[in-house]
Amino acid sequence: MSPHSALNFGTLTGNKSRPVFTIPPPTTLIGALSYPLARIEGSPESGRRYMPAVLAGILMGVYMRLDGPAIPYATITKMWFYDPDDKLVKSDAYGYQRLYVKPKWRGGPTIKAVYIFDGVKARKELGDRWREKLVASATTMVRLGDKESLVSVDQVSYGEAEILYLDEVVTRYTVPLNDALLIEPVERWQELKVYEFYDWRKLKGPDITELPTTKVVFAYDRRNFLAGGLKVRNRNAGKLKAYKLKVGEEVEHVVAW
């Protein structure tokens, strides 16, 4: 995906500040795919059959990587609202942060997303043409985050993910964090960041505020503005479950959730 100008994956806070995540949460990636899929299925995105929850139920993993400059920047935004007690229109201001991208950077920044599905569950939920529906949905994604976070999908590829059990996995995609993993950047200058997101595996309905959270790790190479590499091993010297897949012309590995 190519972002148009700015993105917003806002964190939930109890005040007027609206900070932004610097990578999209798994729930945001699922939401981006669910909107066109709901149209293909002919059902409202937020109806009785809540499409993000349908997707979460057939997914085995969600991953992403960001390549290109992405700069958080906040502006003071004026907001108008109606006070029913005073019967007056009032205004307030809050700090609204977005993630700004540089469109002309080496052809433009890109976000690559990987969705790994359970084929048996997908066929049960979406029918025999589930692959066609998901490819069509991925091709027609238009936003990643809020309504102003517009993206263009440049390429969609699909295939079979191979399950492997390895001593070490090297990946440029997000890694689901748990206590059994040892994770370090491939190069020492790469910035390793831990993000705490809502756990997409527990998604049941539109209210996500009560969901438990989970953590993911991402490495960012600030020298070259590219996704950095992560070396992942099992803390107990055991094998690590991973998926081998082809993303475009590249062979990649991701760590299983």
Side-chain angles (χ1 to χ4, degrees):
M1 289 173 279
S2 296
H4 287 200
S5 59
L7 299 168
N8 180 35
F9 324 119
T11 59
L12 296 177
T13 64
N15 54 45
K16 290 186 287 186
S17 175
R18 294 293 184 272
V20 66
F21 288 121
T22 51
I23 63 171
T27 49
T28 299
L29 294 170
I30 292 171
L33 188 63
S34 71
Y35 182 78
L37 180 60
R39 297 298 178 270
I40 292 171
E41 289 285 273
S43 61
E45 185 186 18
S46 299
R48 181 183 301 176
R49 189 173 182 232
Y50 185 58
M51 197 55 65
V54 172
L55 281 178
I58 64 177
L59 277 163
M60 300 175 67
V62 187
Y63 310 87
M64 62 73 55
R65 59 178 276 195
L66 169 68
D67 293 296
I71 303 168
Y73 184 79
T75 57
I76 301 299
T77 302
K78 196 169 188 178
M79 177 179 65
W80 297 90
F81 61 94
Y82 178 72
D83 188 329
D85 295 328
D86 295 338
K87 295 182 174 56
L88 293 172
V89 175
K90 299 181 179 181
S91 66
D92 202 348
Y94 62 96
Y96 186 76
Q97 193 173 54
R98 293 183 178 92
L99 193 66
Y100 289 88
V101 297
K102 190 175 182 180
K104 295 183 180 180
W105 179 85
R106 299 180 189 176
T110 60
I111 295 173
K112 292 184 179 180
V114 170
Y115 304 84
I116 298 181
F117 293 93
D118 182 317
V120 174
K121 292 181 179 179
R123 181 175 289 106
K124 183 178 179 181
E125 282 288 349
L126 302 175
D128 292 338
R129 298 178 60 192
W130 66 271
R131 290 184 183 87
E132 296 174 39
K133 292 178 180 179
L134 291 171
V135 169
S137 299
T139 304
T140 53
M141 287 192 294
V142 294
R143 63 183 176 89
L144 188 65
D146 67 11
K147 63 182 180 179
E148 297 176 340
S149 302
L150 300 179
V151 296
S152 296
V153 176
D154 302 316
Q155 182 182 0
V156 175
S157 59
Y158 71 95
E160 298 291 329
E162 181 183 356
I163 299 176
L164 302 173
Y165 291 88
L166 304 172
D167 294 323
E168 180 180 88
V169 176
V170 178
T171 181
R172 289 178 290 175
Y173 285 80
T174 45
V175 174
L177 180 62
N178 62 63
D179 293 338
L181 299 182
L182 287 171
I183 304 173
E184 59 182 359
V186 172
E187 302 290 350
R188 58 183 176 81
W189 63 78
Q190 294 171 355
E191 180 184 7
L192 191 151
K193 295 195 70 174
V194 177
Y195 297 87
E196 186 169 6
F197 296 137
Y198 289 123
D199 193 340
W200 61 272
R201 296 167 294 183
K202 307 296 183 181
L203 187 62
K204 301 297 181 185
D207 183 9
I208 64 173
T209 57
E210 298 299 323
L211 286 183
T213 59
T214 187
K215 294 179 180 179
V216 303
V217 182
F218 182 66
Y220 189 62
D221 183 347
R222 291 200 172 276
R223 285 189 179 184
N224 302 299
F225 300 112
L226 296 172
L230 289 170
K231 292 189 290 186
V232 187
R233 299 189 303 276
N234 195 309
R235 189 180 298 274
N236 300 316
K239 296 292 185 179
L240 193 63
K241 184 179 179 181
Y243 297 104
K244 179 183 178 182
L245 47 103
K246 193 173 182 181
V247 183
E249 296 302 317
E250 300 176 330
V251 174
E252 300 281 359
H253 293 82
V254 293
V255 178
W257 280 82

